[in-house]
């Protein structure tokens, strides 16, 4: 007979709190750093690879706003269509908000 019980994973039920050696080293130094904070701190020209970017409005968007070169891969067709419809509008909105929040410098005569 077929079992209706859920398959029990051999792995721990709780995901690890650190997703990379870099984050582990920063936490070991007493700093609490999230992956998004790392992305926001990238220098222009840095390379960010977003595998499984979904609609691009999180990691990819933050990378582009930080000035990074972002290589995004999305294998699911539905998600690629979401990217095409959502990402350009989200980027334009973020850029407009930044322009509004940045004080303008007076121009000379």
């Amino acid at each position: 007979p077929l079992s209706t019980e859920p398959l029990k994973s051999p792995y721990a039920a709780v995901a690890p709190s650190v997703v990379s050696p870099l984050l582990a080293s920063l936490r070991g130094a007493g700093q609490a750093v999230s992956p998004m904070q790392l992305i926001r701190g990238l220098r222009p020209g840095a390379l960010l690879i977003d595998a499984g970017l979904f609609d691009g409005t999180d990691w990819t968007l933050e990378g582009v706003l930080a000035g990074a070169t972002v290589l995004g891969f999305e294998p699911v067709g539905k998600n690629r269509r979401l990217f095409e419809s959502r990402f350009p509008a989200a980027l334009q909105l973020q850029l407009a908000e930044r322009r509004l929040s940045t004080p303008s410098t007076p121009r000379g005569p």
Side-chain angles (χ1 to χ4, degrees):
L2 294 176
S3 173
T4 58
E5 294 296 314
L7 179 66
K8 300 217 189 261
S9 172
Y11 304 104
V14 178
S17 62
V18 176
V19 296
S20 78
L22 176 59
L23 284 176
S25 69
L26 290 172
R27 287 205 176 143
Q31 299 177 13
V33 179
S34 74
M36 283 301 217
Q37 288 173 311
L38 287 176
I39 292 173
R40 290 180 185 124
L42 291 174
R43 293 188 175 130
L47 176 64
L48 173 66
I49 300 172
D50 188 353
L53 63 90
F54 184 58
D55 68 356
T57 60
D58 49 14
W59 298 79
T60 296
L61 180 63
E62 289 297 331
V64 169
L65 291 171
T69 298
V70 180
L71 301 179
F73 302 92
E74 178 51 63
V76 178
K78 180 180 177 182
N79 293 345
R80 286 193 304 271
R81 289 186 291 281
L82 285 173
F83 174 84
E84 291 168 357
S85 67
R86 293 180 182 173
F87 180 78
L91 179 59
Q92 291 305 314
L93 178 65
Q94 288 296 316
L95 291 173
E97 287 178 2
R98 283 183 177 205
R99 282 192 293 273
L100 290 174
S101 66
T102 303
S104 60
T105 55
R107 296 185 182 184

